[in-house]
Amino acid sequence: MTHERDVATGSSVSGGTPAAGGHPTGQAGAGEVGTPSEGVASSGGRSQRPSSRAFREFVASGWGPRPDVRPETGEGARRAVARREALSARFPGDRLVVPAGGLQVRSNDTDHRFRPHTAFAYLTGLGGDTEPDCVLVLEPVPGGSGGHEAVLFFRPRAGRDTEEFYADARYGELWVGRRASLAEVEAATGVHARHLDDLPDAVAKGLGEVVVRVVRDGDPAVTDRLDAERLTHDVDLETAVRLDDDLADAVSAQRCVKDDWEVEQLREAVAATVRGFEDIARSLPRAVAHARGERVIEGVFAARAREEGNGVGYEVIAASGEHACTLHWIRNDGEVRADDLVLVDAGVEADSLYTADVTRTLPVSGAFSEPQRRVYTAVLDAADAAFAATRPGATIREVHQAAMQVLAERLADWGLLPVDAATSLDPQEGGQHRRWMVHGTSHHLGLDVHDCARLARETYQGQALEAGMVFTIEPGLYFRTDDLLVPEELRGLGVRIEDDVLVTADGCENLSAALPREPDAVEAWLADVQGR
């Protein structure tokens, strides 16, 4: 059967799971082939392709043999075996469906760069721009003995004698390059692979007798298909098909403690991020000279991220001057002035999809002014207090409280609080110091920049820290230009210092320690990197 994606509609003609997103008319930048009078199939007059018998026969001929590739099973895939076994034990007898997700359309004719769903990447070890529309199914082993068989449903490359080869903008080799065979996917993952067209029957088999659990936000097309199957088989959604959050929550909880390979991936991401910050330091004179200097900073870091990894782990924050007081400033369209502080929050995402998350606040001139240094030192002291509180058995809440203690006392010393520090720190009657730092001090880090985020709030903040957990420490102070409660010399100053922290058996390790934090060390580092 020819598994052709209709270029005009973006739908799957083969009857398998519909593709999410995709090109309605083919990739941008590809010119039209032929004209209607030359025997072409037209898609609304926008994209045309030949369809004559002569063309089909000619395009299928004259190709050399494809290489026989048997990739080695990657380390991430080998680690995924134990992860699947742990998940299997959590849901004995249930069918578990974990989609990678589909492409998302951008600007009508192109797709955003693909990134698989985090749960899928974690349970397969597949990262980067791994083929969209894959679905991992953990099928319960029959006979009640427990355990699951892992099956990866995947759309393999089509033969060169098919229309898909030259005409399908989603899957065709002439459009997206050489794609893997089922055998190659099995070799890379160590998981049995089947054609994606088999997925609907596989997940609907025995529906009503076996509970099917789905990572609901993995791929809307998959959840819609399962809902349709439920209606076809006249079974109750609540008892037979669980489109709830239990499965995704369980995978999120599993990721809290990283193994040694995951930690190594994070180390690599942090090391590349450090080099990206060095690029930023060298770019500061050019940023000052540019009308949109923040874009200069963003651009040089993004280049490093693409050269050494999969890309940025999140949108770069390059916030100069008062923009640093907007916590998620990603517009990055402002100028960078010589007397500014510039707050840069950025992280390289490795090819394995593990990401760093580091923030440094740099004096553009190379030296902190007295008010800048005063605020910076307060934030650094708060971060150091949070580091001192980080150890096995402590909680993220306690780490946060240690940082807040320092900031509240410093703000009280500066005369900015309407109450004393102790009153401001009271959880019921206080909180005034949080006016200048409304965010939390820490979040888990891993495959997602805010990893394990599906944990319940109380669990997230109150669970005991364990060796192998990785999270951020990132206090800050932000004094907006229109804040009349702070002295004028502090208005427009925003400072955040963020490091990536590994909990060890007896304390913690700062994974991003290669980037200086002390103000004198920051100034010396800038001078050294810039060759001054």
Side-chain angles (χ1 to χ4, degrees):
M1 177 185 290
T2 298
H3 307 292
E4 177 195 0
R5 180 176 175 276
D6 189 304
V7 179
T9 64
S11 65
S12 174
V13 181
S14 64
T17 303
H23 304 291
T25 59
Q27 292 279 15
E32 297 179 351
V33 180
T35 66
S37 63
E38 295 174 330
V40 298
S42 175
S43 175
R46 292 169 295 175
S47 182
Q48 300 170 334
R49 54 179 169 77
S51 61
S52 70
R53 178 187 298 273
F55 171 79
R56 293 197 301 269
E57 291 176 352
F58 186 68
V59 77
S61 66
W63 302 102
R66 290 187 172 109
D68 183 19
V69 177
R70 290 293 186 272
E72 293 184 2
T73 303
E75 184 61 27
R78 285 192 285 270
R79 301 281 177 150
V81 175
R83 300 168 188 171
R84 293 193 296 268
E85 290 175 350
L87 193 66
S88 173
R90 173 72 175 78
F91 298 103
D94 293 353
R95 180 177 296 139
L96 310 180
V97 181
V98 185
L103 292 166
Q104 298 297 315
V105 176
R106 173 180 178 173
S107 304
N108 187 45
D109 242 19
T110 63
D111 290 319
H112 288 280
R113 184 174 289 117
F114 178 70
R115 184 192 192 278
H117 191 280
T118 296
F120 178 89
Y122 182 72
L123 294 170
T124 63
L126 293 174
D129 58 352
T130 299
E131 188 67 32
D133 303 326
C134 294
V135 180
L136 174 69
V137 175
L138 299 185
E139 180 67 25
V141 176
S145 60
H148 288 76
E149 177 193 7
V151 183
L152 189 62
F153 290 86
F154 169 78
R155 189 182 185 108
R157 62 173 177 260
R160 288 157 171 163
D161 59 345
T162 66
E163 195 171 359
E164 177 179 305
F165 170 68
Y166 69 87
D168 193 319
R170 167 61 69 84
Y171 296 110
E173 191 168 334
L174 294 189
W175 296 86
V176 299
R178 184 183 182 277
R179 298 177 59 254
S181 66
L182 291 177
E184 290 168 357
V185 169
E186 288 186 347
T189 63
V191 175
H192 176 55
R194 292 176 59 185
H195 200 292
L196 187 62
D197 287 352
D198 297 338
L199 177 68
D201 290 341
V203 296
K205 181 178 65 176
L207 201 59
E209 301 172 4
V210 61
V211 172
V212 180
R213 295 184 182 271
V214 188
V215 175
R216 178 174 54 184
D217 62 349
D219 189 336
V222 173
T223 53
D224 290 348
R225 168 72 68 176
L226 280 168
D227 199 17
E229 293 291 345
R230 172 189 65 86
L231 295 174
T232 300
H233 290 76
D234 193 26
V235 295
D236 180 59
L237 175 64
E238 296 301 321
T239 58
V241 180
R242 303 288 177 85
L243 303 179
D244 55 25
D245 294 329
D246 288 353
L247 179 55
D249 292 350
V251 180
S252 188
Q254 274 188 221
R255 298 201 307 272
C256 283
V257 178
K258 273 63 180 176
D259 63 28
D260 55 350
W261 180 81
E262 292 179 288
V263 171
E264 183 57 33
Q265 295 303 298
L266 287 165
R267 289 187 190 278
E268 291 179 9
V270 169
T273 298
V274 170
R275 291 188 285 274
F277 271 86
E278 293 170 349
D279 296 338
I280 289 170
R282 282 187 286 268
S283 77
L284 287 178
R286 183 160 63 91
V288 171
H290 198 286
R292 293 197 292 182
E294 291 175 343
R295 293 276 172 93
V296 172
I297 293 171
E298 175 189 349
V300 297
F301 188 87
R304 173 69 66 174
R306 284 296 285 167
E307 289 169 10
E308 296 202 20
N310 189 51
V312 294
Y314 53 95
E315 293 292 335
V316 173
I317 296 172
S320 185
E322 63 180 344
H323 290 165
C325 300
T326 299
L327 299 180
H328 286 173
W329 176 260
I330 59 173
R331 190 177 302 162
N332 299 341
D333 61 356
E335 61 182 334
V336 175
R337 292 175 292 271
D339 57 353
D340 278 348
L341 292 177
V342 60
L343 185 158
V344 182
D345 188 333
V348 172
E349 179 181 79
D351 288 331
S352 60
L353 304 185
Y354 287 84
T355 185
D357 181 8
V358 177
T359 304
R360 289 294 184 267
T361 305
L362 308 174
V364 178
S365 67
F368 291 97
S369 68
E370 188 283 325
Q372 291 171 348
R373 181 178 282 259
R374 190 191 329 158
V375 176
Y376 186 95
T377 301
V379 173
L380 178 64
D381 291 346
D384 287 345
F387 270 97
T390 300
R391 60 190 181 280
T395 66
I396 282 181
R397 179 181 291 112
E398 291 169 349
V399 172
H400 173 74
Q401 289 169 342
M404 290 302 97
Q405 176 86 29
V406 172
L407 293 183
E409 290 175 353
R410 204 62 52 88
L411 291 165
D413 291 344
W414 295 344
L416 300 186
L417 296 180
V419 295
D420 59 29
T423 302
S424 186
L425 288 164
D426 185 285
Q428 303 301 323
E429 304 297 330
Q432 291 88 344
H433 61 288
R434 297 298 301 276
R435 172 188 178 102
W436 295 289
M437 182 183 155
V438 297
H439 61 80
T441 304
S442 301
H443 60 77
H444 281 277
L445 186 66
L447 280 170
D448 287 327
V449 67
H450 281 229
D451 208 19
C452 315
R454 299 191 67 94
L455 291 176
R457 179 182 177 87
E458 182 57 36
T459 302
Y460 196 100
Q461 295 182 349
Q463 68 177 336
L465 297 178
E466 300 178 44
M469 288 184 174
V470 179
F471 61 94
T472 65
I473 289 178
E474 51 177 311
L477 284 173
Y478 313 93
F479 301 117
R480 299 182 68 87
T481 55
D482 56 354
D483 190 342
L484 302 182
L485 299 187
V486 300
E488 188 171 354
E489 63 182 358
L490 299 185
R491 295 177 195 169
L493 289 182
V495 174
R496 181 164 65 252
I497 304 169
E498 178 182 20
D499 287 288
D500 301 340
V501 184
L502 168 66
V503 182
T504 62
D506 56 358
C508 66
E509 176 189 351
N510 183 356
L511 299 179
S512 46
L515 272 181
R517 301 165 68 251
E518 299 285 340
D520 288 346
V522 169
E523 292 176 350
W525 173 78
L526 284 169
D528 179 62
V529 171
Q530 295 174 353
R532 291 187 282 109

